[in-house]
Amino acid sequence: MASDDIAQLADALSKTQVGDGELSFKGLGLKLDDSESVAELLGKIEQYPGLRALRLEGNTVGVEAAKAIAKALESKDQLQRCYWSDMFTGRLRSEIPTALMCLSGALMSAGARLTELDLSDNAFGPDGVKGIEQLLKSPSCHTLRELRLNNCGMGIGGGKILAEALIECHKKSTAVGSALRLKVFVAGRNRLENDGASALAKAFQLMGSLEEIHMPQNGINYAGVMALASAIRHNPELRVLNFNDNTFTKRGTLAMAQALRHLRNIQVINFGDCLVRSEGAIALAAVLTEGLPVLKELNLSFGEITAGPALVVAQAVMDKPHMEKVNLNGNCLGEDGCDFLREVLDNVHKGEMLASLSEDEGEPDDEEDEDSDAGDSDGSDECYETGECEEIVKENGGESPEKSESQAEILSFLSNPSAEKLSNMKMNLQQEVNVSEPNKAAELFLKIGSLHSQDTVANAVVFEVIDGVLKKVLSASALQSHCFLTTLLVMIGVLKGEGKVKKVPLVPGQLLCLEHAVQQEYFTQDHASVLHTLLSRNGDALKFCSSARDRLSSALEKKSHKYH
């Protein structure tokens, strides 16, 4: 080693920080290629008797240097925290697994009990995960509380290896009476995609101890999101969820909304750049109205959310006592929508919680709407026709009952509604409506509403059935009732739906039935507020039924006066 290099190394090592059991070589830019280059660093490690934390980030470590460091660590049984991010800059990818295996072996030989392991920004790929696989399965990680693997390029294969290692660690640690209780998991920018995310979801569900999950930019779409949603509901202490820049679409967002209903400790939700879209935003707003009592931050930026649903979200966060920031930037509010959103929050002295709207995309036009249908690559265009979305909002996850005779009658009514059929089967209609199937319930409401007429006697039957159906649907959870209202508005063209939507021809009687419903006790102020907000932002969709629309709007405004 050249004398100049030795002098440079000595100077860098003189800046080593020592204290509180921690030895730090962070950010020194050391190029550690062999045992000679690492000699002075080894001396400091060996001379530190109670070493509990070692920072090596911001240096570059070769295989021979890693072997030498490993030898020094074999006696450090009190080591708990390894901050080893950005440690292999300029190294061949093939070198990294060997270096990691050496360091891992030393920790296991020493009998260390780790609480934190940070290997972020090392770009080691699936092979790098293999380099720490045995460590993660060993007793040295039974005590692990924080695992950070951000920007490591793990890919699907690495995600699966990692998941299996965590599962085995949990099983082994449980067997000896001290189950792995990982609290913080960070794995952004790893190209995990659906399969990697789904594998990790199994580990998350098994552990049930997570408090923070950070998995932004992983190419995960609704299938992987749904798997993660199923897992997070089994982690009741979750405080932070960061899935920024993945692709939720409607199915993924509804699954997340359903999972969030089970969590009481969430403080930060980052679903920015996740294509939450309008229907998903309303579903999340429903969860906000009935839960998430300690939420502080909500990020729904760049999600193709229009003005009405954004206002519904804003109304939902107004009464959250701990709320500090809501980010709706980069959506499709338009200039008027942005101004109105600011005004609504300013009027209740909550304007400071709203993040900048400087990157708003403007209101979508009809041409853009058509393109968004054609470009939905996750299969959501089949959603309304196959009923897949309805499965997400089912409370018990059970199978739909087989078609009975009464259901056959309902199908007959839906295909050709008439006042006579309605009168003969009104009880069946009320009993068979399923709160877990908003699509079918909304279609049923619109078919019944189409029978509204000038005949007072016939209308009495229509209103009776409408009341029975809506009382059942709107008495369900906020999430289910909001899904019903959202689906109804999509079907009548007030909201832009996701994919191919089964629309029902609109007639004034349907809006007049809704006006009747708004005045009933089962139609709550919250329901009225949501509906009024959405209609007020896109009332032109009902211009061909303007008289009935105005009557409905008036009824909604009276009931939802607390927000207007």
Side-chain angles (χ1 to χ4, degrees), residues 375-392:
D376 191 354
S377 61
D378 71 357
S380 294
D381 56 341
E382 301 299 326
C383 186
Y384 279 99
E385 296 181 352
T386 63
E388 286 184 62
C389 288
E390 292 160 3
E391 294 298 321
I392 296 167

Side-chain angles (χ1 to χ4, degrees), residues 498-552:
E498 189 174 287
K500 296 177 182 178
V501 179
K502 184 175 183 179
K503 292 186 178 179
V504 176
L506 184 64
V507 295
Q510 294 159 334
L511 301 184
L512 295 176
C513 284
L514 202 49
E515 178 207 14
H516 161 81
V518 169
Q519 299 172 59
Q520 309 310 307
E521 188 174 343
Y522 60 75
F523 208 102
T524 67
Q525 191 176 50
D526 182 54
H527 296 142
S529 175
V530 170
L531 205 53
H532 184 266
T533 298
L534 297 171
L535 282 175
S536 67
R537 300 307 305 174
N538 198 17
D540 287 347
L542 308 179
K543 60 186 177 183
F544 297 112
C545 302
S546 58
S547 178
R549 176 199 64 190
D550 293 344
R551 285 178 57 175
L552 172 59

